[in-house]
Amino acid sequence: MFFFKKASSTNRPLKIGLIIDEYFGAADTAFGGYGFLARRLIAKYLPDTNLQIDVLLGRGRKRYSAEEFIVQDDKTINLYRLPKRKWAAKRWLKKQDYDAYLSIELTYNYVLECEPDTNKKLILWIQDPRPMYEWDEINTVKLFPETNYYDQNIYDTVHKLYRQDRVKFISQGHFLIKKQKICTL
């Protein structure tokens, strides 16, 4: 059984919203590891005639309209920052009608909060899950401190989707999937 089904009434490609907060320098985003994966692997190799990927960079500065950026690497990729107002973001997402979402280590949940379809699926690429007990241990190291990016709201969102059977975990490190499930329970 498929995790999500392509709409049979249209011939359009499967439309995926890639939820990420950086795209390796594009649209003035950071040059971090998740952005590297998004730009150099996912958006470069996945899109084809049967699959369209739009990069969703979170909440933008404009209140009522999305900000659009076009990146031309090997393929043309559309990047968007959603409207600042939630009702406008909900309207925009409804119009986009994504079949599913994909995220590398979900770093914010604005898109999922604004998604009007309560059955929409999320594929969550697990890269580096860190539950709070690991952050507590990391914070004992004073010589090389690391910024704690733990966000309970994100784990709660993933937990809710997990209980509704709306999230699938993927990873190149299969042991990380079990760790992520522990984080979300």
Side-chain angles (χ1 to χ4, degrees), residues 55-120:
V55 177
L56 307 178
L57 298 171
R59 188 183 309 213
R61 293 185 192 107
K62 295 182 179 180
R63 291 182 183 182
Y64 306 110
S65 62
E67 300 169 39
E68 180 179 10
F69 307 89
I70 298 173
V71 174
Q72 182 66 46
D73 288 331
D74 293 339
K75 297 179 180 183
T76 301
I77 302 295
N78 296 321
L79 283 66
Y80 299 98
R81 292 189 194 279
L82 275 61
K84 189 183 261 189
R85 299 283 176 134
K86 277 192 174 183
W87 68 266
K90 286 180 183 189
R91 277 186 49 201
W92 187 85
L93 287 169
K94 184 174 184 174
K95 183 179 176 185
Q96 295 303 311
D97 191 26
Y98 291 107
D99 294 300
Y101 293 103
L102 168 64
S103 185
I104 304 169
E105 287 293 337
L106 191 64
T107 55
Y108 65 90
N109 56 3
Y110 185 67
V111 172
L112 298 174
E113 287 176 355
C114 294
E115 173 54 54
D117 183 349
T118 58
N119 293 314
K120 202 66 68 155

Side-chain angles (χ1 to χ4, degrees), residues 147-158:
T147 303
N148 182 335
Y149 54 82
Y150 182 86
D151 186 341
Q152 187 63 50
N153 290 329
I154 291 174
Y155 283 111
D156 290 345
T157 297
V158 172

Side-chain angles (χ1 to χ4, degrees), residues 7 11 17 43 55 68 70 99 125 138 140 144 151-152 161 181:
N11 273 340
V55 177
E68 180 179 10
I70 298 173
D99 294 300
W125 180 334
I138 290 168
T140 64
F144 300 105
D151 186 341
Q152 187 63 50
L161 296 175
K181 287 181 181 177

Side-chain angles (χ1 to χ4, degrees), residues 4 13-19 23 36-55 74-77 100-104 123 125 170:
F4 51 86
L14 195 62
K15 194 170 179 181
I16 304 294
L18 174 59
I19 301 171
Y23 194 66
F36 180 86
L37 287 172
R39 187 168 184 175
R40 300 292 183 226
L41 294 176
I42 294 174
K44 182 176 180 178
Y45 293 108
L46 287 183
D48 63 17
T49 57
N50 297 315
L51 183 66
Q52 174 188 336
I53 294 182
D54 291 343
V55 177
D74 293 339
K75 297 179 180 183
T76 301
I77 302 295
Y101 293 103
L102 168 64
S103 185
I104 304 169
I123 301 167
W125 180 334
I170 60 172

